[in-house]
Amino acid sequence: MLDVAGAAVAALALTGLLASQVLPINHPLGFGALAVVTFLALYALLVSLTEGAVMVRDRLVAVVVHGLAGAVVLTLGFVVVFTVARGATALPHVNFFTQDMAQAGPLDPLDRGGIVHAIVGTLLQITIALAITVPLGLLTALFLSEMPGRLARLVRTVVEAMTALPSIVAGLFVYATLILALGVPKSGLAAATAISIMMLPIMVRSSDVVLRLVPGTLKEASYALGAGQLRTVTHVVLPTARSGLTTAVILATARGIGETSPVLLTSGFTAAMNADPTQGPMVSLPLAIFQFVKSPEPTMVARGFGTAAVLMLLVLLLFVAARVVGGRTPQAREDRRLRRVAARDRGRARDATAATLATTLATAPRRPRGRRPVRAPEPLEETP
């Protein structure tokens, strides 16, 4: 730890000296890159004074890995803090969560208008998209893992190609097929269909990887006991991979809930509440952020960052709910069942003990009521 601290301080000092006296570095990114390279060189030099070459490489890799992890955490923290700070002026207003923008304009103060229409639209669209994506993606992943062959390889290739599909292309595809060719109006249903196209390859690939991790010995034991393939899949494979499948759903939800361009093409924009996903434009939170932030008015920009903070909170709540549901593994369910059985047995034992005690008290002979009999005093012995 002291080596890391000493190398960091020396790297900052040496980088500052080089940037001010030797190298024409004026940009912060250049200064940071030079500082990182200098730090790694000085740290390797310090470790090499007491350790061998293998330990030097090990320490360098450890420092790089921890540094990258810290950079990711700092970046995420900066994004969250910056978003919440910019939207802090809009978040305290109750109307921001209970009203829409039908009666509010760009010049209106923050105590008028809100994003309830965007929240409802996002929840409806992502629910419909999940209803389409989860069964289709799970069945496709089961087909790829349980029925290998030429067709499975072709499907896997198509799914991998769809992973790199731009979101605007998915929106154009739904717009051309559903809206122009089939005459479906712009609506939340069309937007959910476009979102499901973006979520499907993530769901299939993640589920396929998880299902492949199920030990083959479990499936072989199920077959040996006489179970068929369908029963093995439903009672062995899926319960074993439940936690990983939940992670796949989370990844697919994270991909779909932040899409903007497909929703703009297939659903349109509206400032009023629309809870019917089959008729009329339906706005989502990412689309509302886009519309708010591009406005030059400070109040609209504050609404945009406040909407972004609400979107992050909504995603966090969905992730927590998914992890709670997915964390109920068969072993955990069995432990909870055993605890419930033990609690029920203890309750029955207490009830049986209380009933036995009540029966004993009821059948015991009772002393007649009234005055207690007076016992005659015993005669005193005479002393000689």
Side-chain angles (χ1 to χ4, degrees), residues 14-25:
L14 183 59
T15 304
L17 178 63
L18 293 175
S20 60
Q21 302 296 331
V22 180
L23 301 176
I25 299 177

Side-chain angles (χ1 to χ4, degrees), residues 2-68:
L2 293 178
D3 293 341
V4 175
V9 173
L12 290 176
L14 183 59
T15 304
L17 178 63
L18 293 175
S20 60
Q21 302 296 331
V22 180
L23 301 176
I25 299 177
N26 298 323
H27 199 276
L29 291 180
F31 184 88
L34 181 60
V36 170
V37 173
T38 307
F39 166 74
L40 293 177
L42 293 176
Y43 182 69
L45 178 62
L46 289 176
V47 175
S48 64
L49 297 177
T50 56
E51 304 289 348
V54 176
M55 187 59 65
V56 171
R57 290 194 295 269
D58 180 75
R59 294 283 186 88
L60 283 177
V61 171
V63 167
V64 170
V65 170
H66 287 85
L68 293 177

Side-chain angles (χ1 to χ4, degrees), residues 90-91 93-104 110 112-125 269-276 281-286 288-289 292 303 306-308 310-311 314:
L91 292 175
H93 297 276
V94 179
N95 58 281
F96 186 71
F97 304 96
T98 59
Q99 297 179 6
D100 55 23
M101 294 296 295
Q103 303 297 327
L110 293 175
R112 294 189 59 186
I115 60 168
V116 65
H117 60 304
I119 296 175
V120 173
T122 295
L123 292 177
L124 289 176
Q125 291 174 12
F269 182 80
T270 178
M273 168 71 76
N274 180 19
D276 185 3
M282 177 181 288
V283 71
S284 63
L285 287 173
I289 295 170
F292 288 154
R303 288 190 179 99
T307 307
V310 173
L311 179 60
L314 179 61

Side-chain angles (χ1 to χ4, degrees), residues 299-325:
T299 54
M300 296 296 286
V301 174
R303 288 190 179 99
F305 280 98
T307 307
V310 173
L311 179 60
M312 290 190 298
L313 179 61
L314 179 61
V315 171
L316 178 62
L317 293 177
L318 292 176
F319 283 5
V320 170
R323 294 306 301 174
V324 170
V325 174

Side-chain angles (χ1 to χ4, degrees), residues 4 63 67 90 93 116 163 174 222 308 339 341 345 358:
V4 175
V63 167
H93 297 276
V116 65
T163 306
V174 174
S222 178
R339 287 195 294 268
V341 171
D345 292 342

